């Protein structure tokens, strides 16, 4: 997944789910990992990390 796509997914997730967006991305990464889909899990971790960056350094 291209970085621009990651940012688009993160923005959409944040708009749709607000404060829960990071949690949702982390849960989806775990679900993908359990299914054995490591590539998709990595995409969701990148989305989660982008959401953290979007919130700024004081949010964790």
């Amino acid at each position: 997944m291209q970085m621009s796509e990651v940012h688009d997914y993160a923005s959409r997730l944040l708009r749709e789910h607000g404060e829960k967006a990071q949690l949702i991305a982390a849960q989806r990464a775990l679900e993908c990992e359990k299914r054995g889909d490591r590539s998709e899990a990595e995409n969701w971790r990148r989305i989660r990390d982008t959401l953290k960056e979007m919130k700024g350094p004081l949010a964790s």
Side-chain angles (χ1 to χ4, degrees):
M1 180 179 287
Q2 298 290 328
M3 205 53 211
S4 61
E5 291 175 288
V6 169
H7 194 273
D8 288 345
Y9 272 83
S11 295
R12 192 174 326 140
L13 203 60
L14 187 59
R15 273 195 310 274
E16 292 176 7
H17 299 283
E19 293 295 319
K20 295 181 181 178
Q22 281 186 36
L23 176 63
I24 290 169
Q27 288 174 333
R28 289 186 181 167
L30 286 174
E31 290 167 4
C32 292
E33 197 69 49
K34 287 179 185 177
R35 286 195 318 261
D37 191 347
R38 291 183 179 201
S39 175
E40 188 68 13
E42 181 59 30
N43 287 335
W44 281 108
R45 284 191 287 275
R46 290 172 64 202
I47 292 167
R48 180 204 59 205
D49 293 345
T50 299
L51 286 163
K52 285 181 187 177
E53 291 174 15
M54 293 169 81
K55 292 188 93 172
L58 297 177
S60 46

